[in-house]
């Protein structure tokens, strides 16, 4: 092995002297609620380029060694839409109860799929990146946020298929799209990110959480009006239970997304009163939950390296 040149040795010594003269910097996030939250989010913003690289890595890893690659993101929802429209809607007769059943159920599944993927991928994001976390310091929140970013890009691809199918099969009402769809997406994102940050931190200490999340998400899908309509809940359940049902933020998000995309000629699936107001309230609650989840994450991450 060749000896380093005198110039390089002198440069290395100069760097060591310069670093030795600097004050030590604390890299553990501050536990102060407001100052710590501002500093943490600023640190995340400063690493936004790294966040985007992690998002792209998530997407590439999903279709690694695949010939069609990202096209599978379009093929899979297209096949699902055809199955719901022909097999379940027309052959099994589900469209008799809910008009344009294929669009209705696919809209609900697309909205729920975004939330489901954010939660499922965020929960294991810290454990899955343990090698990086144990070697270098960076804002660890970036890993669940990258999982959420990848889930959102997949959702956008599915939404292209959904809108194309809706235009061909039933048509869409532009004012409804503009009113309901953005609110529904924001509602799903804020609650998904809040839950993802919290669960990603808890999963480091309790590895059973990721399996509990899978079961909870399976149950949660059936607590949203995806394969049945909200009007069925109102007709079949007591009034107090129907009112309790609509307190589910994801039920509001799914209903809002369906209201924007699904355009029946009848009132076969009525919407709850004040749906827009409810979504706005839940968005506000979700933003508060993001702040609380990030503060818990900042406290819990102090021992991530030891636990991993």
């Amino acid at each position: 092995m060749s000896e380093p040149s005198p110039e390089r040795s002198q440069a290395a010594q100069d760097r060591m002297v310069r670093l030795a003269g600097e004050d030590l910097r604390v890299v553990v996030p501050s536990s102060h609620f407001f100052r710590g939250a501002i500093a943490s989010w600023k640190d995340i913003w400063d690493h936004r380029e790294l966040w985007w690289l992690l998002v792209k890595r998530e997407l590439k890893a999903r279709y690694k060694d695949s010939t069609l690659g990202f096209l599978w993101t379009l093929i899979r929802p297209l096949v699902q839409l055809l199955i719901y429209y022909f097999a379940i809607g027309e052959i099994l007769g589900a469209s008799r109860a809910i008009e344009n059943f294929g669009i209705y159920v696919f809209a609900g599944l697309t909205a729920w799929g975004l939330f489901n993927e954010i939660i499922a991928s965020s929960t294991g994001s810290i454990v899955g990146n343990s090698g990086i976390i144990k070697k270098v310091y960076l804002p660890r929140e970036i890993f669940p946020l990258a999982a959420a970013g990848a889930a959102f890009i997949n959702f956008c691809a599915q939404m292209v298929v959904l809108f194309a199918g809706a235009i061909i099969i039933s048509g869409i009402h532009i004012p409804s799209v503009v009113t309901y769809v953005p609110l529904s997406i924001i509602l799903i994102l804020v609650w998904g990110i809040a839950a993802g940050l919290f669960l990603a931190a808890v999963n480091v200490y309790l590895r059973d959480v990721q399996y509990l999340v899978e079961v909870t998400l399976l149950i949660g899908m059936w607590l949203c009006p995806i394969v049945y309509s909200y009007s069925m809940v109102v007709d079949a359940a007591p009034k107090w239970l129907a009112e309790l049902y609509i307190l589910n933020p994801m039920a509001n998000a799914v209903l809002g997304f369906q209201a924007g995309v699904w355009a029946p000629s009848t009132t076969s699936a009525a919407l709850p009163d004040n749906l827009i107001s409810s979504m706005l309230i839940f968005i506000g609650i979700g933003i508060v939950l993001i702040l609380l989840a990030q503060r818990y994450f900042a406290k819990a991450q102090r021992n991530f390296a030891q636990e991993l």
Side-chain angles (χ1 to χ4, degrees):
M1 183 180 294
S2 60
E3 294 291 332
S5 63
E7 293 80 4
R8 290 186 178 180
S9 299
Q10 184 61 42
Q13 291 178 6
D14 291 342
R15 283 197 298 270
M16 293 176 63
V17 171
R18 186 169 61 255
L19 290 172
E22 292 184 0
D23 295 333
L24 293 177
R25 291 178 295 173
V26 179
V27 296
V28 177
S30 170
S31 58
H32 191 277
F33 188 87
F34 293 107
R35 289 198 301 269
I38 294 172
S40 293
W41 287 110
K42 182 179 181 300
D43 196 17
I44 294 169
W45 174 253
D46 291 340
H47 288 80
R48 59 189 181 277
E49 293 182 1
L50 176 59
W51 170 82
W52 177 239
L53 290 175
L54 291 172
V55 169
K56 291 192 290 186
R57 188 194 69 172
E58 291 274 342
L59 295 172
K60 290 179 180 178
R62 185 166 306 181
Y63 301 107
K64 184 180 180 182
D65 300 327
S66 170
T67 303
L68 296 179
F70 193 72
L71 285 176
W72 284 112
T73 307
L74 298 174
I75 295 172
R76 187 167 54 186
L78 179 60
V79 172
Q80 284 182 315
L81 176 58
L82 293 175
I83 290 173
Y84 293 131
Y85 179 74
F86 289 107
I88 301 178
E90 301 300 325
I91 297 176
L92 297 181
S95 59
R96 288 193 294 269
I98 301 177
E99 185 181 356
N100 298 325
F101 178 79
I103 297 299
Y104 178 83
V105 70
F106 190 61
L109 286 173
T110 301
W112 174 258
L114 174 60
F115 181 74
N116 184 92
E117 188 174 350
I118 290 175
I119 300 298
S121 55
S122 296
T123 299
S125 60
I126 299 299
V127 175
N129 290 281
S130 59
I132 300 175
I133 291 171
K134 289 188 290 187
K135 291 179 181 178
V136 296
Y137 171 77
L138 72 164
R140 278 72 178 270
E141 296 94 334
I142 205 168
F143 294 108
L145 290 176
F152 180 71
I153 292 176
N154 280 328
F155 165 79
C156 290
Q158 294 178 11
M159 198 163 61
V160 169
V161 176
L162 172 63
F163 273 84
I167 291 172
I168 294 171
I169 296 172
S170 62
I172 59 174
H173 187 232
I174 298 298
S176 296
V177 173
V178 175
T179 302
Y180 287 102
V181 171
L183 287 177
S184 298
I185 293 174
I186 294 171
L187 175 55
I188 293 168
L189 288 175
V190 294
W191 279 78
I193 290 172
L197 285 171
F198 175 76
L199 293 170
V202 174
N203 189 54
V204 174
Y205 301 96
L206 299 171
R207 302 298 171 87
D208 286 342
V209 166
Q210 58 187 335
Y211 305 109
L212 179 61
V213 165
E214 292 177 4
V215 176
T216 304
L217 288 173
L218 180 61
I219 298 172
M221 189 189 79
W222 290 97
L223 294 177
C224 296
I226 297 174
V227 296
Y228 57 86
S229 66
Y230 174 68
S231 59
M232 293 179 181
V233 176
V234 175
D235 294 339
K239 184 178 179 180
W240 66 269
L241 187 57
E243 293 176 351
L244 181 63
Y245 177 89
I246 205 58
L247 291 178
N248 176 5
M250 286 306 104
N252 282 262
V254 169
L255 282 167
F257 199 75
Q258 289 167 334
V261 179
W262 180 65
S265 59
T266 64
T267 57
S268 56
L271 297 175
D273 297 332
N274 304 317
L275 178 59
I276 292 178
S277 300
S278 297
M279 286 196 291
L280 289 172
I281 292 172
F282 280 121
I283 288 172
I285 296 173
I287 292 172
V288 174
L289 291 177
I290 287 179
L291 297 176
L292 295 175
Q294 192 279 323
R295 288 291 79 205
Y296 171 78
F297 189 100
K299 183 177 181 180
Q301 71 170 311
R302 295 168 183 263
N303 295 317
F304 276 1
Q306 293 88 329
E307 292 294 329
L308 294 171

